[in-house]
Amino acid sequence: MSRLRSFLFVPGDSENKLAKGLGSGADALIIDLEDAVAESAKPAARGLAAEALKGPRPAELWVRINPLTTAHAAADLKAVVHAAPDGIVIPKPDSAADLARLDGLIGALEAEAGLPPGRIRVMPVATETPASVFSLGSYTAATPRLAALTWGAEDLPAAVGASVNRMPDGQYTDLCRIVRSLAIAAAANAGVPAIETVYPAFRDLAGLRAYAAQGRAEGFTGMMAIHPDQVAVIGEVFTPSPAEIAHARAVVDLFAANPGAGTLALDGKMLDLPHLKQAMRVLNAAG
Ligand code: COA
Ligand code: MG
């Protein structure tokens, strides 16, 4: 997978936003057919999504379909799979079993359209139902299409009857903090990137920068956006700085120069295997 730092949500029923999204510089767009589209607008949104997929792709084009528990899901897939989206975002799965079902649905439509099997990737919003919290370990065996895993801070609080997802001081509630951490672990457990959830206050770019930087430090490798202004900030935060790259290279070079050494010193600090792994991850992210 090419490196995906920023995913920009674009409501599927807005031609104007679809056009704007393509020029936003995002690594991927997520054309939304779910929560950003009213019931009455879903058929039109499917049509616009399919049209967009036939046009130029300055960014990867992903589509968020409706949950598999709704009748919309099959219609969404039927409308877009033949146009070969780069990926499908699946909201509200309960576990990897839902991804296996999705895999079957996509596979049948790929075959019908004569597309190479398995090329369309999937990313679950893996923490949106109460059941999902207890099955985050299941994604190891989900489907070879699994390309990344993300989480959401809106739907789960609503599903458990919470009226807030943040505390008065702005910190997430414990429920959100727990599933955010579990999402990072679930992604690592499944061997795929963890993608940070959206930052809804889209005028507050300083707040976004701080939030995204914290997410990157905790293990996320990219983040979803809801507004074009957020894309550049996310791209910057999730790209290693020259200083980080220089340090990572020094760590890797030091281990290479000392084959067989388990632990080494650099600038008065101890280095061992986790530091080497982290340095290699930084160099990998630098491309
Ligand atoms: N993708 C593409 N273009 C977008 C955009 C997005 N997500 N959000 C805003 N724009 C466009 C606007 O249409 C506007 O274009 P215009 O100048 O041609 O009218 C321009 O960027 C500036 O937008 P702005 O006026 O700052 O914001 P807004 O009030 O029009 O929109 C939202 C605010 C929140 C409604 C909008 O950002 C949005 O729809 N975000 C996506 C929501 C979504 O998909 N949610 C589901 C996942 S959580
Ligand atoms: Mg939602």
Side-chain angles (χ1 to χ4, degrees):
M1 178 166 73
S2 60
R3 241 161 46 67
L4 295 174
R5 293 158 302 186
S6 56
F7 289 82
L8 173 63
F9 268 111
V10 180
D13 61 346
S14 168
E15 251 182 299
N16 178 47
K17 286 180 186 167
L18 280 166
K20 275 243 146 74
L22 288 170
S24 69
D27 296 320
L29 302 189
I30 303 175
I31 303 172
D32 192 22
L33 301 178
E34 197 213 8
D35 287 344
V37 179
E39 281 295 309
S40 58
K42 300 229 188 247
R46 283 182 198 118
L48 283 179
E51 273 311 302
L53 289 167
K54 287 174 197 145
R57 291 196 191 179
E60 287 201 5
L61 295 182
W62 289 58
V63 177
R64 181 167 74 171
I65 63 169
N66 285 278
L68 292 177
T69 47
T70 69
H72 288 306
D76 295 342
L77 289 169
K78 198 167 162 39
V80 300
V81 165
H82 68 89
D86 292 290
I88 296 290
V89 175
I90 175 75
K92 304 179 181 65
D94 280 336
S95 74
D98 284 336
L99 266 72
R101 244 179 89 206
L102 175 65
D103 180 38
L105 296 170
I106 296 174
L109 290 164
E110 275 176 339
E112 231 176 85
L115 292 170
R119 193 167 298 172
I120 298 173
R121 289 166 284 153
V122 301
M123 174 167 75
V125 191
T127 65
E128 291 191 307
T129 73
S132 72
V133 179
F134 303 102
S135 59
L136 281 165
S138 67
Y139 288 96
T140 44
T143 155
R145 296 182 194 274
L146 185 71
L149 186 147
T150 189
W151 75 287
E154 309 287 340
D155 290 272
L156 180 64
V160 304
S163 56
V164 295
N165 62 3
R166 289 182 181 270
M167 312 285 274
D169 68 359
Q171 298 297 310
Y172 282 130
T173 57
D174 281 348
L175 182 66
C176 286
R177 289 161 59 97
I178 287 167
V179 297
R180 180 172 171 278
S181 299
L182 287 174
I184 296 168
N189 186 44
V192 297
I195 303 300
E196 175 65 292
T197 198
V198 299
Y199 186 78
F202 59 86
R203 303 276 182 235
D204 179 9
L205 296 182
L208 168 68
R209 187 178 290 277
Y211 179 84
Q214 182 62 31
R216 177 172 171 230
E218 289 183 54
F220 290 106
T221 64
M223 178 169 171
M224 300 186 293
I226 54 160
H227 190 286
D229 288 354
Q230 296 184 318
V231 167
V233 173
I234 291 173
E236 278 168 36
V237 169
F238 285 95
T239 301
S241 69
E244 283 174 304
I245 294 170
H247 176 74
R249 193 154 289 141
V251 171
V252 170
D253 288 350
L254 189 62
F255 274 95
N258 293 276
T263 175
L264 291 162
L266 181 66
D267 301 333
K269 289 202 184 105
M270 188 272 293
L271 298 176
D272 60 6
L273 191 59
H275 299 96
L276 176 61
K277 279 190 187 159
Q278 176 56 18
M280 284 161 57
R281 207 170 289 133
V282 168
L283 293 183
N284 203 28

